[in-house]
Amino acid sequence: MTLTKPIKVLLLIVFILILGIVGWNFYKNYRMQNGNPVSGLKPKVEMGIGHITNLTDSTVDVSLNLLIHNPLPIGFDFEGFDYFVLMNGVKIVENNHRKPVALKANDSTVVALPTQLKIKNLSNEGDEEAAMGEDSADYHFEAVFFLKKPFLGKDSLVLAVDKRMPLYRLPKVEMVGYDVEKFRLSKSEIVLQLKFTNRNTFPVQFKNPSYVVDLGKQKGFAKGSVAGNTHVKEKSSEIYEIPLEVDMGKTVKAALEVIFKGKDVPYTLYFKSKLASDNDIFKDSDVNLVVDGEVKDLDTMKKNLGK
């Protein structure tokens, strides 16, 4: 039977509609499996904290691990990207990565982002969370990737991710007291009382710590080191007594400063060590702390500790 022209046109329309429905369903399923739920069908990112390499009294050098996943059948070449990280809405990192990144089709790549955090920003937010009994925080990572060649009329691509991750607390070292012992003609010994605080949910250890103390104008007034590990349990503080040797000549000069200035004489403690921990973030991290204060502060701390 020969089909009339109107029937042929109708069948063609039905065929086109079926193709459209099938194509639309395929696109929706593909997007649900591979697309970013916020931005549609495009690459997506995941962020993780890699390792703390160095810790000082004011900064933390840390490596962030960025996973970029591309579900598309085409690749991208980026000249670099700008990025920032928020912790509970507070910006703790803002930096850029100026090395090229090649993202192949249907593939993933990991980029290590060494960056430096300001302890003041990190501690303020962390202390607020800890006061509320929180051991985790909301992190937001966002980056602008600069394309080598425009794609669909755009020369950049914005990717972001939100994630709930542990709240890592930095170990703390304080000088809380001192005792002077064993005065001899050539050398004397001073015992420092140091308070080690660990607010994390896992223990940490300070490996082979070394100490140098400046007192007033006397640089290197006292020096010493401790072989082995100094242990601090999870969510606890420990006070250790550290014996240091002092040159008698510097002791006399420092004593004269105390006589004339009273206990307003300043001191500086230089503390160096490596961290040991079962947590990979803190494992083998270098610790270089500088603690400043005045002698009168130590007397106040000793009285408080004795209460």
Side-chain angles (χ1 to χ4, degrees), residues 88-100:
N88 292 337
V90 177
K91 187 177 290 185
I92 59 171
V93 176
E94 187 170 21
N95 210 336
N96 58 65
H97 182 82
R98 287 293 171 258
K99 295 180 180 179

PDB file of all heavy atoms in Angstrom, residues 88-100:
ATOM      1  N   ASN A  88      33.742  28.057  57.217  1.00  0.00           N
ATOM      2  CA  ASN A  88      32.559  28.623  57.874  1.00  0.00           C
ATOM      3  C   ASN A  88      32.319  30.073  57.460  1.00  0.00           C
ATOM      4  O   ASN A  88      31.991  30.930  58.282  1.00  0.00           O
ATOM      5  CB  ASN A  88      32.688  28.524  59.392  1.00  0.00           C
ATOM      6  CG  ASN A  88      32.639  27.091  59.892  1.00  0.00           C
ATOM      7  OD1 ASN A  88      32.098  26.215  59.221  1.00  0.00           O
ATOM      8  ND2 ASN A  88      33.210  26.838  61.043  1.00  0.00           N
ATOM      9  N   GLY A  89      32.529  30.338  56.170  1.00  0.00           N
ATOM     10  CA  GLY A  89      32.258  31.662  55.626  1.00  0.00           C
ATOM     11  C   GLY A  89      33.382  32.661  55.786  1.00  0.00           C
ATOM     12  O   GLY A  89      33.282  33.784  55.286  1.00  0.00           O
ATOM     13  N   VAL A  90      34.482  32.289  56.457  1.00  0.00           N
ATOM     14  CA  VAL A  90      35.620  33.182  56.666  1.00  0.00           C
ATOM     15  C   VAL A  90      36.755  32.778  55.722  1.00  0.00           C
ATOM     16  O   VAL A  90      37.148  31.614  55.681  1.00  0.00           O
ATOM     17  CB  VAL A  90      36.104  33.128  58.131  1.00  0.00           C
ATOM     18  CG1 VAL A  90      37.344  34.006  58.320  1.00  0.00           C
ATOM     19  CG2 VAL A  90      34.991  33.568  59.075  1.00  0.00           C
ATOM     20  N   LYS A  91      37.272  33.743  54.969  1.00  0.00           N
ATOM     21  CA  LYS A  91      38.329  33.444  54.002  1.00  0.00           C
ATOM     22  C   LYS A  91      39.637  33.149  54.734  1.00  0.00           C
ATOM     23  O   LYS A  91      40.155  33.980  55.478  1.00  0.00           O
ATOM     24  CB  LYS A  91      38.520  34.613  53.033  1.00  0.00           C
ATOM     25  CG  LYS A  91      39.477  34.314  51.890  1.00  0.00           C
ATOM     26  CD  LYS A  91      39.562  35.488  50.923  1.00  0.00           C
ATOM     27  CE  LYS A  91      38.268  35.645  50.145  1.00  0.00           C
ATOM     28  NZ  LYS A  91      38.379  36.719  49.121  1.00  0.00           N
ATOM     29  N   ILE A  92      40.180  31.937  54.511  1.00  0.00           N
ATOM     30  CA  ILE A  92      41.444  31.556  55.150  1.00  0.00           C
ATOM     31  C   ILE A  92      42.572  31.389  54.140  1.00  0.00           C
ATOM     32  O   ILE A  92      43.742  31.361  54.516  1.00  0.00           O
ATOM     33  CB  ILE A  92      41.282  30.256  55.973  1.00  0.00           C
ATOM     34  CG1 ILE A  92      40.819  29.096  55.088  1.00  0.00           C
ATOM     35  CG2 ILE A  92      40.329  30.461  57.133  1.00  0.00           C
ATOM     36  CD1 ILE A  92      40.849  27.739  55.786  1.00  0.00           C
ATOM     37  N   VAL A  93      42.231  31.263  52.855  1.00  0.00           N
ATOM     38  CA  VAL A  93      43.233  31.123  51.797  1.00  0.00           C
ATOM     39  C   VAL A  93      42.782  31.914  50.580  1.00  0.00           C
ATOM     40  O   VAL A  93      41.603  31.866  50.193  1.00  0.00           O
ATOM     41  CB  VAL A  93      43.438  29.645  51.381  1.00  0.00           C
ATOM     42  CG1 VAL A  93      44.418  29.549  50.213  1.00  0.00           C
ATOM     43  CG2 VAL A  93      43.931  28.805  52.544  1.00  0.00           C
ATOM     44  N   GLU A  94      43.713  32.634  49.969  1.00  0.00           N
ATOM     45  CA  GLU A  94      43.486  33.273  48.668  1.00  0.00           C
ATOM     46  C   GLU A  94      44.812  33.266  47.929  1.00  0.00           C
ATOM     47  O   GLU A  94      45.797  33.840  48.404  1.00  0.00           O
ATOM     48  CB  GLU A  94      42.958  34.693  48.829  1.00  0.00           C
ATOM     49  CG  GLU A  94      42.559  35.339  47.506  1.00  0.00           C
ATOM     50  CD  GLU A  94      41.809  36.645  47.688  1.00  0.00           C
ATOM     51  OE1 GLU A  94      41.942  37.258  48.766  1.00  0.00           O
ATOM     52  OE2 GLU A  94      41.095  37.057  46.762  1.00  0.00           O
ATOM     53  N   ASN A  95      44.856  32.586  46.786  1.00  0.00           N
ATOM     54  CA  ASN A  95      46.123  32.397  46.112  1.00  0.00           C
ATOM     55  C   ASN A  95      45.872  32.144  44.630  1.00  0.00           C
ATOM     56  O   ASN A  95      44.728  32.199  44.159  1.00  0.00           O
ATOM     57  CB  ASN A  95      46.878  31.218  46.737  1.00  0.00           C
ATOM     58  CG  ASN A  95      48.382  31.374  46.659  1.00  0.00           C
ATOM     59  OD1 ASN A  95      48.895  32.086  45.795  1.00  0.00           O
ATOM     60  ND2 ASN A  95      49.096  30.705  47.549  1.00  0.00           N
ATOM     61  N   ASN A  96      46.942  31.850  43.896  1.00  0.00           N
ATOM     62  CA  ASN A  96      46.803  31.514  42.480  1.00  0.00           C
ATOM     63  C   ASN A  96      47.786  30.414  42.114  1.00  0.00           C
ATOM     64  O   ASN A  96      48.773  30.176  42.822  1.00  0.00           O
ATOM     65  CB  ASN A  96      47.006  32.746  41.592  1.00  0.00           C
ATOM     66  CG  ASN A  96      48.365  33.385  41.807  1.00  0.00           C
ATOM     67  OD1 ASN A  96      49.403  32.797  41.511  1.00  0.00           O
ATOM     68  ND2 ASN A  96      48.372  34.599  42.348  1.00  0.00           N
ATOM     69  N   HIS A  97      47.478  29.734  41.031  1.00  0.00           N
ATOM     70  CA  HIS A  97      48.330  28.661  40.489  1.00  0.00           C
ATOM     71  C   HIS A  97      48.631  29.041  39.051  1.00  0.00           C
ATOM     72  O   HIS A  97      47.735  29.043  38.204  1.00  0.00           O
ATOM     73  CB  HIS A  97      47.592  27.327  40.562  1.00  0.00           C
ATOM     74  CG  HIS A  97      48.400  26.165  40.072  1.00  0.00           C
ATOM     75  ND1 HIS A  97      49.325  25.505  40.850  1.00  0.00           N
ATOM     76  CD2 HIS A  97      48.416  25.533  38.862  1.00  0.00           C
ATOM     77  CE1 HIS A  97      49.868  24.524  40.159  1.00  0.00           C
ATOM     78  NE2 HIS A  97      49.348  24.517  38.956  1.00  0.00           N
ATOM     79  N   ARG A  98      49.880  29.383  38.793  1.00  0.00           N
ATOM     80  CA  ARG A  98      50.245  29.921  37.475  1.00  0.00           C
ATOM     81  C   ARG A  98      50.902  28.897  36.554  1.00  0.00           C
ATOM     82  O   ARG A  98      51.472  29.255  35.530  1.00  0.00           O
ATOM     83  CB  ARG A  98      51.157  31.136  37.652  1.00  0.00           C
ATOM     84  CG  ARG A  98      50.412  32.369  38.155  1.00  0.00           C
ATOM     85  CD  ARG A  98      49.438  32.862  37.092  1.00  0.00           C
ATOM     86  NE  ARG A  98      48.545  33.906  37.569  1.00  0.00           N
ATOM     87  CZ  ARG A  98      47.287  33.714  37.913  1.00  0.00           C
ATOM     88  NH1 ARG A  98      46.780  32.486  37.874  1.00  0.00           N
ATOM     89  NH2 ARG A  98      46.532  34.700  38.318  1.00  0.00           N
ATOM     90  N   LYS A  99      50.813  27.627  36.899  1.00  0.00           N
ATOM     91  CA  LYS A  99      51.350  26.582  36.018  1.00  0.00           C
ATOM     92  C   LYS A  99      50.222  26.018  35.156  1.00  0.00           C
ATOM     93  O   LYS A  99      49.090  25.893  35.613  1.00  0.00           O
ATOM     94  CB  LYS A  99      51.984  25.462  36.842  1.00  0.00           C
ATOM     95  CG  LYS A  99      53.202  25.903  37.635  1.00  0.00           C
ATOM     96  CD  LYS A  99      53.785  24.736  38.419  1.00  0.00           C
ATOM     97  CE  LYS A  99      55.016  25.180  39.211  1.00  0.00           C
ATOM     98  NZ  LYS A  99      55.589  24.058  39.999  1.00  0.00           N
ATOM     99  N   PRO A 100      50.519  25.675  33.892  1.00  0.00           N
ATOM    100  CA  PRO A 100      49.478  25.116  33.003  1.00  0.00           C
ATOM    101  C   PRO A 100      48.923  23.800  33.540  1.00  0.00           C
ATOM    102  O   PRO A 100      49.637  23.022  34.183  1.00  0.00           O
ATOM    103  CB  PRO A 100      50.221  24.899  31.677  1.00  0.00           C
ATOM    104  CG  PRO A 100      51.432  25.780  31.754  1.00  0.00           C
ATOM    105  CD  PRO A 100      51.814  25.832  33.197  1.00  0.00           C
TER     106      PRO A 100
END
